[in-house]
Amino acid sequence: MMLYLFLFFVGLLFVYIKFQYFTLRGPIPGLSPHFFFGNLIQTGLLSGRRVSSEVYILLNGQFGDIYQYWLGFIHFVVVHNIDDVQYILSHRNIYDQGQIFLEKFSILVPNSIICNIGAKFKRHGAFAMPLFRRSKIISNINIVIDGTDKLLDRWRARPTGQVHTDVVEQCQNLLLEIFGLIAFDYDLETLDGNDSGNKNELTKALRDIMSIFRMIIYAPNIVSTVYLKLSPKYRRASATVERYLHRMVEQELAETPDSRLQRKKTSLIASLVSSLQADEPAEARKKEAEKKGLSRKELFDEMLMFLIAGYETTSTALAWCIYQLSKNPRVQQKLKTELMQDASSQSLTVDRVDSFIYLDCFINEVLRYSPTIDGTSRSVVVDDYLPKSGTRLYKGDQVLIPTSALSRDTRFWKIDAEQFYPERFLNEDKNHHPCALLPFGGGHRQCLGQDLARFELKVILARMLQQVTFVDGGSEVNAGGFSQTLTIIPKHVGVTVEFH
Ligand code: HEM
């Protein structure tokens, strides 16, 4: 009898969960979701057969511009209608930070900007946002050049003709080295020592955290939290990263207050450490709107979030740039010609870098054609209608903007969107719809580091192309493809690096 009762209640629970969470809602079309997995199995995301940017294009073809989509437990309304996308991003009072950011990043870094809204978001943003404006960043040009030179020296020391299959790892090392110095005044030494991308302990630890993060993103939070607590790989990686974060804070605390005061308008670590609360328990008792400064826990969460956001995205974009250079010798040659113009010397100044217009077009085209991030998300704060499609949305709904699909959507580009063609940004597609290309998202929660990312990419590529040519290492090793962590990474990059 007890067994029947038990089975009855389990059955009831199953039916409740299925109807509450895993059933198509209302008139919006979509793939009927599986219990627990949502659309993960049907779309090939779980098996790795497809990455999310491919899935959005597929579902757009099947269901049109608005459809429902389950990323595991999380239910989204995906919006491809470009005018509705613009509406969402420009109405911050109706569409705030997506729940996926708030919930999923909270597992790793609950007190960081990315997973907070309202007064806490403003309090944290005040210590970081002003530092990432272009005017503050350009003074770091020599850090970017020196880091790039270090990587070039490593490559120079390799046997001529060797096919480099570790481009992604080397780009990660480079961006960590640069970001460590720019944001934390700290040499992470990711390009020192043995020339093996896989052996740097910090790069490896961060890569482990990212791959675990990708896995847990689909699961309910409780499962993810327990998994992280039990996973020895995560605990090891997290301990390594924490060790680095503590060293950085100790180094900053050893500076004089005068030095910190001078640097806090340009250095993230100086700004964060200056903001440390003198009396944490007293601040903790205040209402959020009255709180000042950051607690130690908040400081460490911000540092980890910035470390991840600061290197992973930009290094992925750089790896895609190198891949596209090797596949498009005409474009590479044209970039080199631009770099040689008015070049009385090899030196790169901010003014010279600014003058490389075709390089800007190339970077835009890589971000368009090989998007680093698949999309972004917003939470509906009050019931609303999307004006163009007339879609009814309700408070609490999650909207997903598939930026990677919009940038490849032939409707929004005059020159074939399937063609890799940087010149489009000089001519026919110069005045594209603002939402057709959103590599850094948009609106009030757009990427905080976009000026830095663009500047780093431009200086690194200019420096590299002054000295080397990237050559396709052959269709087997340089096969492209995608693998997904937080970003969409090129799966197979294999290039030779020819020095001039
Ligand atoms: C090519 C490089 C990069 C790409 C493609 C990229 C892309 C993005 C995207 C798509 C978002 C979500 C925006 C939205 O929802 O509208 C975002 C947010 C963010 N990014 Fe980046 N990013 C890059 C580099 C960086 C760098 C270098 C930093 C570090 C300074 C950074 C820090 C952040 C932060 C803090 C947020 C959260 C902002 C918020 O929640 O308000 N990103 N990024």
Side-chain angles (χ1 to χ4, degrees), residues 97 114 121 132 309 313-314 376 378 439-442 445-447 449 453:
Q97 184 70 313
I114 200 159
F121 167 68
F132 289 100
T313 44
T314 320
T376 189
R378 296 288 183 265
F440 300 101
R445 299 303 297 245
Q446 65 187 282
C447 176

Side-chain angles (χ1 to χ4, degrees), residues 396-411:
D397 279 349
Q398 298 302 306
V399 172
L400 196 150
I401 301 169
T403 52
S404 54
L406 300 179
S407 69
R408 292 285 286 261
D409 192 322
T410 48
R411 291 174 293 177

Side-chain angles (χ1 to χ4, degrees), residues 79 343 486:
V79 180
L486 185 64

Side-chain angles (χ1 to χ4, degrees), residues 165-197:
T165 52
D166 60 351
V167 168
V168 171
E169 289 80 6
Q170 296 291 354
C171 291
Q172 290 175 345
N173 286 335
L174 172 60
L175 265 306
L176 266 178
E177 173 97 2
I178 293 172
F179 193 75
L181 288 168
I182 292 182
F184 302 126
D185 296 337
Y186 193 90
D187 188 354
L188 293 165
E189 298 177 349
T190 45
L191 288 172
D192 292 357
N194 196 347
D195 172 22
S196 168

